[in-house]
Amino acid sequence: MGGNPPITIMTDQAPSIAAWIRNVFPDARHRLCTWHIGEISKKHIGQYRALDGFCDTFSYLLKMLTHYKCAENPWLKNLYTIREMWCPAYSKNYWSGGVLSSQCCETTNKSVSHRLNKTQGLCDFYHVFLDVISEWRSKQNGHDYRNWKGRPEVAAKNCRILLHARTIYTIEAYVLFEEQFLKGMACSQEEKRGNTTIEKSYYVWRPKKDLIKHEVRFNQETFVVDCTCQYFTEMGFLCSHLLRVYHAHCNPKIPNLYILKRWTKAAMCSHLVEDDGENSNIVATSVWREQTLRNFGRLVDASFPKPPLKYFRRVAVVDKM
């Protein structure tokens, strides 16, 4: 555990995008957007969605198939076949940040479409798109400033690991970390048999709350930890079970191994380091960006009909007069 785990890419069920991901990002985990699955279900199983309680149990696919007797529905059978692409339980060892939906692109489409109509052209779209992006960037800059300059209150005063987390994480990241810490304080732990003086293993769970007990392995010399819930691999934060063990052993700070830069204040003031691509076939982002802007500019120019040559001759004669 530790380091940068493989990434997760969230999309809808478009076959062309799935093929592209397999070719361009072979090590990534391709997952399906749960929101899109819910929207597509209106078309394929609308008659079942109208039944009382069906939508509440839609995520529990196996129970739904037996309770509502819809196991022979072809769309549901195919959805179960590809369950590894949309069920979070199968992607715990890939980093996703807890994202279950690809609604970011849907939000972009909606924000742009509300300001356009069918009679407007590509150039109008371009200007509207720039306005939307400018507004989002302005809001993001204000949000980043609050995260950088803000100082959240610590839930447990004089708790050194929380004080350390407050100094390195942004406000929102610290809130997520603190939630896991407080959740861990409500857990019980039981030492597993066969432990050594250095390597320890514990069962950690919340009484009358959790159905299973997660196993936490802890090295007292290196402070390396691992938990069967795999929350760190998926989210990039130490889980409540690991924090419970850390607190029991009076660990005063988060080891560097478990601090992902993406959640820290340092990530907000750093610059992207480009890869020159000498030893790979990957194009640097700056080159790709410039090429994309040029292609888009040519597309906009090509969308306007060019005036005939005699128009320019007429203008030149008028200028001479």
Side-chain angles (χ1 to χ4, degrees):
M1 191 170 114
N4 293 321
I7 63 172
T8 298
I9 300 177
M10 190 78 59
T11 71
D12 55 17
Q13 291 180 255
S16 58
I17 298 180
W20 173 80
I21 292 175
R22 286 194 298 269
N23 293 331
V24 181
F25 299 105
D27 296 329
R29 178 70 168 182
H30 180 204
R31 281 177 53 187
L32 299 180
C33 170
T34 55
W35 181 83
H36 277 100
I37 292 177
E39 290 298 304
I40 298 174
S41 70
K42 297 177 182 178
K43 175 182 176 181
H44 295 275
I45 53 173
Q47 70 275 22
Y48 298 119
R49 291 175 60 93
L51 299 176
D52 184 33
F54 183 89
C55 292
D56 295 334
T57 58
F58 182 67
S59 58
Y60 301 96
L61 187 58
L62 293 177
K63 295 180 180 180
M64 181 181 64
L65 293 175
T66 57
H67 183 76
Y68 293 97
K69 300 179 181 180
C70 54
E72 298 304 319
N73 183 276
W75 184 78
L76 286 176
K77 292 175 68 175
N78 178 68
L79 188 63
Y80 177 74
T81 303
I82 60 174
R83 59 191 180 278
E84 294 184 4
M85 298 184 66
W86 56 267
C87 182
Y90 291 96
S91 302
K92 289 291 185 179
N93 55 336
Y94 287 81
W95 189 89
S96 66
V99 176
L100 298 177
S101 171
S102 61
Q103 283 188 332
C104 181
C105 63
E106 301 299 324
T107 303
T108 306
N109 297 338
K110 186 176 181 180
S111 299
V112 174
S113 62
H114 279 184
R115 308 187 187 194
L116 293 171
N117 55 59
K118 296 181 179 180
T119 61
Q120 293 177 292
L122 183 61
C123 191
D124 297 320
F125 163 78
Y126 176 71
H127 290 295
V128 169
F129 181 76
L130 290 182
D131 291 340
V132 171
I133 296 300
S134 178
E135 292 177 6
W136 285 4
R137 286 177 176 171
S138 178
K139 294 179 181 178
Q140 184 64 40
N141 289 336
H143 186 69
D144 289 344
Y145 180 82
R146 289 190 296 271
N147 268 285
W148 173 253
K149 295 296 183 180
R151 187 176 178 83
E153 291 292 332
V154 178
K157 293 184 178 180
N158 301 321
C159 180
R160 290 185 294 176
I161 196 170
L162 286 182
L163 293 174
H164 180 233
R166 186 174 67 172
T167 60
I168 59 176
Y169 288 134
T170 63
I171 292 180
E172 292 195 3
Y174 171 78
V175 170
L176 295 176
F177 179 87
E178 189 179 72
E179 288 178 356
Q180 289 297 316
F181 180 83
L182 296 178
K183 184 179 176 181
M185 294 301 98
C187 290
S188 298
Q189 69 181 54
E190 176 185 334
E191 188 170 347
K192 186 179 178 181
R193 293 183 179 180
N195 287 339
T196 64
T197 56
I198 299 177
E199 297 285 344
K200 299 286 186 180
S201 292
Y202 300 90
Y203 292 114
V204 182
W205 75 100
R206 290 177 297 172
K208 300 181 180 180
K209 185 75 174 180
D210 295 335
L211 298 178
I212 61 175
K213 299 179 180 180
H214 286 286
E215 183 180 348
V216 175
R217 294 179 292 274
F218 173 65
N219 188 300
Q220 297 187 95
E221 289 187 350
T222 62
F223 293 103
V224 173
V225 287
D226 190 21
C227 182
T228 54
C229 76
Q230 295 184 308
Y231 183 82
F232 176 82
T233 307
E234 182 183 15
M235 290 291 297
F237 291 105
L238 292 175
C239 66
S240 58
H241 315 107
L242 298 178
L243 291 174
R244 168 71 183 187
V245 174
Y246 267 161
H247 187 69
H249 286 268
C250 301
N251 189 28
K253 58 189 302 185
I254 308 169
N256 292 332
L257 181 64
Y258 305 116
I259 300 176
L260 296 189
K261 189 176 180 181
R262 68 174 76 244
W263 301 125
T264 65
K265 297 177 181 178
M268 301 174 62
C269 58
S270 60
H271 298 281
L272 178 64
V273 178
E274 296 282 10
D275 186 2
D276 55 12
E278 292 182 355
N279 298 323
S280 65
N281 296 323
I282 301 176
V283 179
T285 56
S286 58
V287 177
W288 178 87
R289 183 169 55 249
E290 291 297 329
Q291 291 176 347
T292 303
L293 290 175
R294 290 174 183 173
N295 292 336
F296 192 85
R298 295 192 189 99
L299 182 62
V300 173
D301 292 337
S303 64
F304 293 95
K306 295 182 179 180
L309 182 60
K310 61 181 180 179
Y311 169 80
F312 294 102
R313 292 174 179 172
R314 189 182 303 116
V315 173
V317 172
V318 173
D319 289 341
K320 291 180 180 180
M321 295 175 58

